[in-house]
Amino acid sequence: MQLKNKLLLTFIISVIAWQPCLAITLSNEVLFTAKKFILAMIGVVISSLLIYIGLTLYNKFFHNPNTNEVSTYDENTLTPAQNLDNAISNFLNRTKL
């Protein structure tokens, strides 16, 4: 038990002794850049969630693959879609959303 206490005390003293040497001072420019980066990443997360929710709602209400509508989806072709509805339909079919 004494050896454990000595090791713990040695560890604590070494951490306290080395702490001023390892302290990092951040300038205002670094903090400003970090805040801008965090705000940009929050924007990316919010926009990704909005796109996901929008495509899920579109898939649920407007793109119903159970009906017998003629689909132009072909997995092996890379030709562009003729209109917006076909483009969204092809995207939803390819991603299996």
Side-chain angles (χ1 to χ4, degrees):
M1 194 70 165
Q2 260 185 342
L3 181 63
K4 181 179 176 183
N5 289 339
K6 285 182 182 179
L7 289 175
L8 185 61
L9 184 63
T10 305
F11 176 73
I12 290 173
I13 290 173
S14 63
V15 167
I16 291 172
W18 279 97
Q19 189 176 8
C21 299
L22 300 175
I24 299 173
T25 57
L26 296 175
S27 66
N28 288 338
E29 294 174 3
V30 173
L31 290 176
F32 179 74
T33 305
K35 288 177 186 176
K36 287 292 185 179
F37 179 76
I38 290 171
L39 285 175
M41 290 301 109
I42 289 171
V44 167
V45 168
I46 290 172
S47 63
S48 298
L49 288 174
L50 288 176
I51 290 171
Y52 175 77
I53 290 169
L55 283 175
T56 303
L57 291 174
Y58 182 86
N59 192 18
K60 185 175 182 179
F61 293 117
F62 298 111
H63 179 74
N64 190 1
N66 296 334
T67 61
N68 292 331
E69 63 185 31
V70 177
S71 177
T72 61
Y73 173 67
D74 183 15
E75 194 170 312
N76 297 324
T77 185
L78 294 176
T79 58
Q82 303 300 327
N83 56 20
L84 182 63
D85 289 334
N86 286 345
I88 294 173
S89 181
N90 287 346
F91 175 77
L92 292 173
N93 285 332
R94 287 179 195 264
T95 57
K96 308 281 191 267
L97 192 68

